[in-house]
Amino acid sequence: MEFRDLKRQYNRLHIPINEKIAEVMTSAHFISGEAVTVLEQDLAVYVGAKHCISCGNGTDAITIALMAYGVGIGDAVFVPDFTFFSSGECPATVGATPVFVDVRRDTYNMDPRSLERAIERVKSEGKLQPRAVVSVDLFGLPADYDAIRTVCNRYGLLLLEDGAQGFGGKIGTRKCCSFGDISTTSFFPAKPLGCYGDGGAIFTNDDEIADLCRSIAVHGKNADDKYDNVRLGMNSRLDTLQAAILLPKFDAFKEYELEAVNRGANQYTDLLTELDGVILPTVAEGFYSSWAQYTVQLPDWVDRDAVQQCMKADGIPTMVYYRKPMHRQGAFADTESEVADCPVTEELCERVLCLPIHPYLEEREIKMVVQGLRKALSFKYHP
């Protein structure tokens, strides 16, 4: 069993994918080819944004977005403590100071109350200027943007939506990557919509910001002359081959993959509901998840490593996202960023376990995973 079965997906989609790859190879337009333009247009329409700017990866997408808004030295950028490293790495890379805030136990997303407390603390200390919020749509579920937007508006903060794991999720009819002043996503292979390498995209409705992002992504070039570099930028372009691969995968994503992965998640929830002490992921009314991960919280009396080993012995892969809070990462040691009040994150890092989830997971495999988890928990491993 694969944790996220990209081989099974390729077997289903290999004909249109191979055709698109052949088109690129025949044209030899490997950089900024037609497939890139088509993909950007399709993604913008799907998300409901005026502009989509593709780039080299999701990390670059966040960095470019921050650079476009001039975020830098002396600025505080508020980031969830329970997320992948790049959400905090990117603000630090542009010279800002990541300030880590706690998440909600039920959704794993940013807790607006913790966000407001962190903003007030930074304001009272007077060392940094509160400037931006990076809100992450973790594990496929959109964050609580009504509440987060209210906080951002109250303090005049930029809202950057990190939709790397959330692409395809939505609140009501609005889709992930449409909630921020600027939003980003990743096409890393294991993401809900992934390519066969690295890739990312930025979404905005602001014409000037869109032009800045395109310039920054290609060495700070002038819009009319790539050899007239008007600002410092980076080299971050989505390869035409990756765009071509994403086009048929995007069709499948819209047509049946999102429905299939939600069906699988619902089957997990139905089968795991009565499992003693295990907390299941929740999706509030009006929210829709793209299920980048199906993450449960194990009882506090369980030795998670032992559970993983037991399931591995039965051929069932599991993962832990994430084992260490962001504010405790070595990169932030002895900096302002290591100061954080995030007890929920501390607990989640000790208890979360991610089960295999993808659109091609079969019902018999879901039952196998559930049986494997029940068996592992029956040993009542103690840490």
Side-chain angles (χ1 to χ4, degrees), residues 318-381:
T318 59
M319 298 289 287
V320 175
Y321 302 111
Y322 300 93
R323 290 184 179 272
K324 182 184 287 190
M326 288 280 281
H327 76 275
R328 291 192 175 182
Q329 297 290 336
F332 298 120
D334 301 320
T335 71
E336 296 282 344
S337 299
E338 74 172 356
V339 179
D341 179 21
C342 300
V344 173
T345 295
E346 300 272 2
E347 182 179 345
L348 290 175
C349 287
E350 297 294 326
R351 296 181 60 184
V352 293
L353 182 69
C354 301
L355 307 179
I357 187 74
H358 57 81
Y360 303 89
L361 194 65
E362 298 175 0
E363 185 175 356
R364 64 173 181 83
E365 293 173 310
I366 292 172
K367 290 179 178 178
M368 176 182 171
V369 173
V370 171
Q371 291 169 357
L373 181 57
R374 287 183 183 276
K375 174 184 173 182
L377 292 175
S378 70
F379 290 110
K380 298 190 182 302
Y381 293 116

Side-chain angles (χ1 to χ4, degrees), residues 5-53:
D5 201 332
L6 299 178
K7 297 174 186 175
R8 196 175 292 179
Q9 182 193 52
Y10 177 69
N11 287 338
R12 176 78 173 265
L13 298 175
H14 71 277
I15 293 176
I17 288 176
N18 289 349
E19 288 175 350
K20 288 295 184 182
I21 291 173
E23 289 176 9
V24 176
M25 300 302 291
T26 300
S27 72
H29 291 162
F30 300 115
I31 302 294
S32 302
E34 181 183 1
V36 176
T37 301
V38 173
L39 179 67
E40 288 182 344
Q41 292 170 346
D42 289 353
L43 291 171
V45 170
Y46 177 79
V47 165
K50 188 175 181 181
H51 301 281
C52 171
I53 304 95

Side-chain angles (χ1 to χ4, degrees), residues 69-77 91 95-99 127-132:
Y69 276 95
V71 176
I73 295 172
D75 292 333
V77 178
T97 300
V99 177
K127 299 177 183 178
L128 301 167
Q129 176 64 39
R131 181 68 192 284

Side-chain angles (χ1 to χ4, degrees), residues 126-286:
K127 299 177 183 178
L128 301 167
Q129 176 64 39
R131 181 68 192 284
V133 172
V134 175
S135 180
V136 180
D137 303 324
L138 202 68
F139 301 152
L141 185 68
D144 183 355
Y145 284 104
D146 281 348
I148 293 170
R149 171 63 75 181
T150 297
V151 175
C152 287
N153 289 348
R154 183 178 299 134
Y155 293 95
L157 304 182
L158 169 72
L159 176 56
L160 191 161
E161 178 189 2
D162 177 357
Q165 297 182 28
F167 193 82
K170 58 186 179 181
I171 305 173
T173 59
R174 286 189 64 180
K175 293 186 173 69
C176 282
C177 296
S178 73
F179 296 107
D181 297 308
I182 191 165
S183 303
T184 66
T185 196
S186 167
F187 302 125
F188 183 78
K191 294 295 191 289
L193 176 63
C195 57
Y196 290 159
D198 275 318
I202 303 160
F203 299 89
T204 179
N205 293 320
D206 188 309
D207 296 345
E208 182 178 349
I209 291 294
D211 288 344
L212 278 171
C213 288
R214 290 195 183 279
S215 172
I216 292 167
V218 189
H219 302 289
K221 71 180 183 68
N222 184 313
D224 300 318
D225 182 356
K226 70 177 182 179
Y227 295 112
D228 178 19
N229 304 93
V230 296
R231 59 183 54 85
L232 295 178
M234 62 176 69
N235 180 23
S236 184
R237 296 169 294 197
L238 181 68
D239 291 340
T240 308
L241 274 170
Q242 298 299 347
I245 289 164
L246 281 166
L247 285 170
K249 293 186 74 174
F250 189 31
D251 288 339
F253 180 78
K254 294 180 290 184
E255 289 171 12
Y256 63 84
E257 286 189 348
L258 277 173
E259 180 181 352
V261 78
N262 271 272
R263 185 167 56 248
N266 290 338
Q267 289 169 352
Y268 266 134
T269 299
D270 289 344
L271 294 170
L272 291 169
T273 297
E274 302 302 323
L275 200 55
D276 184 41
V278 175
I279 299 175
L280 306 183
T282 60
V283 179
E285 184 176 354

Side-chain angles (χ1 to χ4, degrees), residues 56-73:
N57 53 70
T59 301
D60 284 357
I62 299 172
T63 302
I64 292 167
L66 293 169
M67 291 174 67
Y69 276 95
V71 176
I73 295 172

